[in-house]
Amino acid sequence: MNDAVASVQSWKVTLPCTRAEAEALDGEIAAFALMERPPVLMTSEAADDETVWRLDAYFEGKPSPAAIKLLKTLVPSASGTKPLIEALPDEDWVTMSQQGLEPVTAGRFHVRNIASDPELPGYVNLLIEAGRAFGTGQHETTVGCLAMLDRMRQVGMRFRNVADIGTGTGLLAFAALHLWPRAHAIASDIDPVAVEISADNALENGIRLGDGAGRLALVTAAGADHAAIVGRAPYDLLIANILAGPLIELAPSLCALVEDGGTIVLAGLLNEQADGVIAAYRAQGMRLAERSNRGDWPTLRLRKRPSIGWKRPRRINSAARGEAPGFGSI
């Protein structure tokens, strides 16, 4: 997902597992989703015996007994095995844990995490190398957002002013600019490391930085609390791929930034959290226009209902409704 990694002591927990258990752990695990910093899970087979597999879980900070107990429930074959728990040296453990990730294809986008992996002809190829920030495209929520944005473009939606709140590596903002190349765009993250990584990734992927049309502005901000974010409002498209709690807490401020008829794409929540998130945004004048699920992770597209009276916001461009006629416009 779109979070950045703090500089804290990292730990690794290793357990044996079967191949079937390893295959079932593909992607990130819903059981850890409510943790502030969930572990990164990696599985691998023994070099000399393909029937022997192992699970390595990388934690930021020493894992609690509850976290280790939860981890063991993912690999029942190791129920009687004592896990190997070790502190890691002060190295870039995110990079180490994400080496060997397979490319991801969603809609027209093909996201690679290793430069040596070949590009896919006929797709928009993006390179987001494993590094100091999360958001490489592997998580189901990021894939869901990429697919949602691509589908919105396919049905003719047009956007001119885009915000990506909690950008992580910048991937979703890059995708939006590929889909709507004349849009103004801004991306933010609470962690300055993520903003630095996003700038590096922008350079790698040919995304121009700056304030003009077709360019991406990057800022460090908690939620939408930044003069540049507020000053560029109202937006006709706002993307937020963060956790359910912050999404609910930020609902008033995010919705206030969106113009009448504008669109918000939300992700980072679990299926059982969707009703609460939807209710929070309905209370701010949004309606659910589309929901797509990838496993336990839904992606929500909401549209802002027109307001009335003197508080009604003015659009930057009256033609930029954020949704083409015939696709659910009020």
Side-chain angles (χ1 to χ4, degrees):
M1 303 167 64
N2 293 340
D3 297 318
V5 181
S7 298
V8 296
Q9 177 68 57
S10 301
W11 291 68
K12 181 173 74 171
V13 179
T14 301
L15 284 165
C17 64
T18 66
R19 178 174 180 173
E21 290 169 340
E23 291 176 346
L25 293 175
D26 183 33
E28 300 202 18
I29 306 304
F32 288 107
L34 298 181
M35 294 179 59
E36 182 178 358
R37 295 193 181 278
V40 173
L41 306 182
M42 299 294 294
T43 56
S44 59
E45 60 181 308
D48 56 348
D49 187 351
E50 64 181 15
T51 66
V52 178
W53 286 67
R54 60 184 281 179
L55 166 65
D56 293 311
Y58 296 83
F59 289 84
E60 294 182 62
K62 187 173 183 179
S64 67
I68 296 173
K69 182 178 179 180
L70 180 58
L71 187 68
K72 294 184 71 172
T73 66
L74 303 178
V75 286
S77 65
S79 59
T81 303
K82 183 178 180 180
L84 173 62
I85 305 172
E86 54 186 324
L88 296 178
D90 187 16
E91 299 181 42
D92 188 355
W93 69 273
V94 177
T95 299
M96 293 189 299
S97 68
Q98 292 182 345
Q99 292 301 314
L101 293 178
E102 292 296 322
V104 167
T105 302
R108 72 192 67 191
F109 298 103
H110 183 69
V111 184
R112 299 171 296 138
N113 300 131
I114 302 174
S116 59
D117 285 342
E119 294 188 349
L120 195 60
Y123 287 79
V124 175
N125 289 275
L126 296 170
L127 176 62
I128 307 293
E129 292 189 277
R132 294 169 290 166
F134 286 113
T136 58
Q138 295 288 327
H139 197 284
E140 296 288 359
T141 61
T142 310
V143 175
C145 285
L146 289 172
M148 179 71 77
L149 294 173
D150 180 69
R151 189 159 55 251
M152 289 158 59
R153 180 65 181 85
Q154 287 182 15
V155 299
M157 297 184 192
R158 294 169 294 136
F159 300 102
R160 298 179 183 273
N161 196 25
V162 179
D164 178 15
I165 305 299
T167 194
T169 59
L171 175 57
L172 297 180
F174 302 165
L177 280 174
H178 274 284
L179 294 169
W180 299 284
R182 291 180 293 179
H184 293 73
I186 188 169
S188 69
D189 200 282
I190 193 172
D191 195 309
V193 172
V195 176
E196 293 175 6
I197 291 296
S198 295
D200 293 341
N201 287 336
L203 180 64
E204 177 69 41
N205 289 279
I207 302 296
R208 298 179 299 167
L209 298 178
D211 295 324
R215 296 178 180 269
L216 176 65
L218 290 167
V219 297
T220 302
D225 186 16
H226 194 285
I229 298 174
V230 176
R232 295 165 69 111
Y235 299 95
D236 52 4
L237 174 61
L238 187 146
I239 308 161
N241 180 19
I242 51 181
L243 297 176
L247 284 177
I248 292 173
E249 182 179 351
L250 290 172
S253 59
L254 296 186
C255 293
L257 295 173
V258 177
E259 69 176 28
D260 285 2
T263 294
I264 293 182
V265 173
L266 302 178
L269 56 144
L270 292 162
N271 279 324
E272 57 265 31
Q273 299 169 327
D275 288 345
V277 172
I278 293 169
Y281 283 77
R282 280 180 174 158
Q284 302 300 321
M286 307 295 299
R287 69 169 180 84
L288 181 64
E290 183 181 357
R291 172 176 174 169
S292 65
N293 292 339
R294 298 185 64 89
D296 294 315
W297 308 92
T299 303
L300 309 176
R301 177 170 66 88
L302 303 104
R303 182 166 180 261
K304 191 170 188 178
R305 299 179 183 275
S307 58
I308 59 175
W310 65 271
K311 291 185 178 180
R312 180 170 182 155
R314 295 174 57 190
R315 294 190 179 91
I316 290 178
N317 186 309
S318 60
R321 293 188 57 80
E323 192 158 351
F327 295 97
S329 298
I330 294 177

